[in-house]
Amino acid sequence: MSIVGIISFGFLHGEPPAAHLTLDLRQHFRDPHVSPELRYMTAADEPVQRAVLGTPGITGLVGAVADAVSAFAAGPSAGPVTVADGCAGGRHRAPVFAQALADRLTADGHTVTVQHRDLHRPVVNR
C-alpha cells in the first residue's frame, strides 16, 4: 500500500504541522480535560482511551479518514501521506485518535508511523 505518517498535536502549542489532511477535533468531540479525574492523564491511560473512543462519531471519523488516506495513496503520484490531528492540548483526543487511525491503516496494509508532538507537554490551564 503506502507509507502514512500521523502526527497528533495541540492547537494551544502552536501551528498545525504540514499535512495532506489536517483534522480539528476540538469542537465536535468531548474533551476528557473537562473531567477532573481524566485531566492529568494522557492518551496512554486506559480511562482516557475509553472516554475518547466512546465518543459518538469518533469511530466513524477514523473510518472516513482511513478511506481518505487510501484515496490519496491510490493517486497517480506515489508518495507518503501525512495526517495531522489536533485537539486543544494534544494530550487526550488527538493522540487517541491518531493511534486508532494507525491501527486501522495498519490493518488495511499501510505502513504507518505515529508521532505525538505535544503529548509530553504539561496540562494547559484554560
Side-chain angles (χ1 to χ4, degrees):
M1 287 293 234
S2 67
I3 297 172
V4 181
I6 303 172
I7 307 166
S8 73
F9 69 96
F11 281 94
L12 295 175
H13 297 295
E15 292 295 317
H20 298 93
L21 294 167
T22 302
L23 303 162
D24 184 344
L25 304 175
R26 292 176 293 179
Q27 299 301 313
H28 299 285
F29 300 103
R30 196 173 356 169
D31 186 358
H33 177 89
V34 301
S35 300
E37 67 276 9
L38 300 178
R39 181 171 300 145
Y40 292 95
M41 293 182 183
T42 70
D45 297 301
E46 176 72 26
V48 171
Q49 295 167 18
R50 277 196 316 271
V52 172
L53 295 175
T55 302
I58 284 287
T59 56
L61 185 60
V62 167
V65 174
D67 289 345
V69 167
S70 292
F72 272 95
S77 299
V81 178
T82 304
V83 177
D85 69 298
C87 59
R91 294 171 45 92
H92 299 109
R93 291 169 290 185
V96 170
F97 181 89
Q99 190 58 56
L101 179 60
D103 292 346
R104 166 68 186 271
L105 290 169
T106 299
D108 289 349
H110 298 280
T111 300
V112 181
T113 62
V114 179
Q115 175 189 354
H116 302 299
R117 185 185 82 180
D118 300 319
L119 182 65
H120 69 284
R121 295 185 186 262
V123 171
V124 176
N125 292 314
R126 43 190 162 108

